[in-house]
Amino acid sequence: MVTSSVPRLVIAAPSSGSGKTTVATGLMAAFAARGLAVSPHKVGPDYIDPGYHALASGRVGRNLDAYLCGPELVAPLFLHGARGCDIAVVEGVMGMFDGAAGEGELASTAHVAKLLRAPVVLVVDASSQSRSVAALVHGFASWDPEVRVGGVILNKVASDRHEALLREALESAGVPVFGVLRRVAQVDTPSRHLGLVPVAERRGAAVDAVAAMAQQVRAGCDLDGLVSLARGAGALSCAAWDAAEVLSSSPPPPLPVPSPGAAAPSTPLPGGSAPWTPAPQTPEGLNFPSVSGYEPPHGQVIAIAGGPAFTFSYAEHAELLTAAGAEVVPFDPLRDEHLPDGTAGLVIGGGFPEVYAAELSANEPLRKAVSALAETGAPIAAECAGLLYLCRELDGQPMCGVLDASARMADSLTLGYRDAVAVSDSSLAVAGTRMRGHEFHRTVVEPEAGDAAAWGVRVPRRRLEGFVQRGVHASYLHTHWASVPGVARRFVERCRTS
């Protein structure tokens, strides 16, 4: 049995807006300034906070999502990110006990803290209370005896007198106070329709914001006490996740070979319901070798979109593609007029193309290059922002025209976890493959699905979603490939044979 004990803290709060991001990011930067190697993590699917974490710590920000990846992968993925680190800081999501809707504690901050055997530091907005803070903290500390609330950081404290009242009240709760942050002008972290503005769009201003968070935390928190608390985390009895190892033990599902005239197999909806009939789109020439004899193909260039317009990506995706034998090359659709030399496949993740629609449209050479690549049948995996970029137009601005669909901004936000089943064979998955995903957008695409859809989902309504055509797999659904690592190997293999 492999055991590891990386010192670690989970930063939680009673609700959103309490100051978790300020405290977590400030702690990462403050610890890093002391010379500690800090591993930054975020509970849940959010892509934006990990960008600030990376800026604070100097290491890639990583997500820990028990819904997308399953509870069994939380600790291995944590240990993967924390390799060689002196301390890890995990920022929670929403309120401490808020998780996937209708799924109990699943994917909540409390759930992840238990899976990591990590002490929790509760960040409390104390701006409108004094003695009542003790009842609040006592409730959170005692609600689940398996969650260890090791201390409190009080935020938005008005004065010395206010601080004294809060500390006096918390003595009765028996929970240590590890910090007090005064009510000051808010750190400049502007938001818009999907949350904070990503680091890649703010550049120098983001650096200044992280420095201000670090200064607040240094001035108001007991850093030595927090390090000591982190060292009290329990040992984890599992091995760190490794991309090469999981690929060797998780081959892609074999492609079906339908008999002439045979009916296509039925694919049931997630949760059990009337089946859909998947549309076979079997790529020719794929012959996945057995695991024991598998030698990953080398030299397949897979371009991954980046830059300010496409900032949403899980680090494990590129690691899996690399382990599968690909050469991963980033490019910026706002500035680069050509795809990287030798591009055999393309991954376009999430982001904010709606903010940069005019600039993306103006880069006509790249739009034509993406369209030409799609015409060859090369694999293209597009999620959310990538889906919009492949459409005919976005808010009236010409896009790549790979999909006969148009996209526009919407009045309402679409947000939530999804349980999905692939309804068409594609460069990512065989029909019937089940994956969990997450939607997070304020746009609509018309039509919602192509003749061959990417996914079928039941919640919040039963529907077909996304597009599969030739090598293209385009969808609003954000997925985490660590949950089904064979999709990366499948994608690379398709690059080799397309």
Side-chain angles (χ1 to χ4, degrees), residues 251-255 285-290 294 486 489-491 493-494:
L255 286 169
L286 283 186
N287 180 23
F288 295 110
S290 65
Y294 179 63
R489 182 171 146 193
R490 180 184 180 90
F491 191 79
E493 197 69 28
R494 177 67 185 274

Side-chain angles (χ1 to χ4, degrees), residues 86-392:
D86 301 309
I87 193 169
V89 178
V90 181
E91 180 185 345
V93 62
M94 301 186 292
M96 186 164 79
F97 297 105
D98 301 328
E103 299 282 353
E105 72 172 5
L106 178 64
S108 67
T109 303
H111 187 205
V112 170
K114 289 195 287 186
L115 292 170
L116 296 179
R117 304 187 67 196
V120 172
V121 176
L122 194 68
V123 179
V124 177
D125 178 352
S127 58
S128 300
Q129 58 186 316
S130 58
R131 189 165 180 265
S132 295
V133 74
L136 176 70
V137 171
H138 173 75
F140 273 82
S142 61
W143 176 261
D144 184 343
E146 294 183 35
V147 178
R148 178 190 169 200
V149 176
V152 175
I153 292 176
L154 301 169
N155 192 24
K156 300 180 183 179
V157 175
S159 63
D160 291 345
R161 173 62 176 160
H162 188 199
E163 177 181 344
L165 291 171
L166 293 167
R167 286 184 178 275
E168 180 182 2
L170 283 168
E171 284 183 12
S172 62
V175 179
V177 176
F178 281 104
V180 175
L181 305 185
R182 290 303 172 92
R183 190 183 303 169
V184 296
Q186 197 169 20
V187 175
D188 182 24
T189 50
S191 298
R192 58 174 178 231
H193 57 284
L194 295 184
L196 295 180
V197 177
V199 164
E201 298 183 47
R202 301 188 62 213
R203 302 181 188 277
V207 174
D208 293 342
V210 169
M213 294 179 202
Q215 176 56 34
Q216 277 187 272
V217 167
R218 276 196 301 270
C221 294
D222 176 6
L223 296 181
D224 291 331
L226 289 166
V227 170
S228 179
L229 179 65
R231 287 175 177 157
L236 297 175
S237 300
C238 63
W241 182 87
D242 181 88
E245 289 182 6
V246 298
L247 281 179
S248 69
S249 60
S250 302
L255 286 169
V257 182
S259 302
S266 294
T267 300
L269 278 165
S273 181
W276 281 305
T277 298
Q281 299 250 323
T282 306
E284 296 179 358
L286 283 186
N287 180 23
F288 295 110
S290 65
V291 171
S292 59
Y294 179 63
E295 288 293 334
H298 292 283
Q300 303 300 314
V301 174
I302 295 180
I304 295 187
F310 297 97
T311 55
F312 294 2
S313 179
Y314 296 127
E316 291 80 5
H317 289 199
E319 291 167 349
L320 283 164
L321 290 170
T322 299
E327 179 187 351
V328 174
V329 181
F331 73 104
D332 184 351
L334 289 178
R335 295 176 174 81
D336 296 325
E337 294 188 344
H338 306 283
L339 291 170
D341 291 343
T343 294
L346 178 58
V347 176
I348 316 173
F352 292 96
E354 62 271 30
V355 176
Y356 295 96
E359 293 95 325
L360 290 169
S361 185
N363 191 350
E364 186 176 5
L366 184 64
R367 289 193 290 112
K368 288 182 175 179
V370 171
S371 180
L373 183 70
E375 283 294 319
T376 70
I380 299 177
E383 289 185 351
C384 200
L387 166 66
L388 306 185
Y389 187 53
L390 295 185
C391 285
R392 187 176 58 252

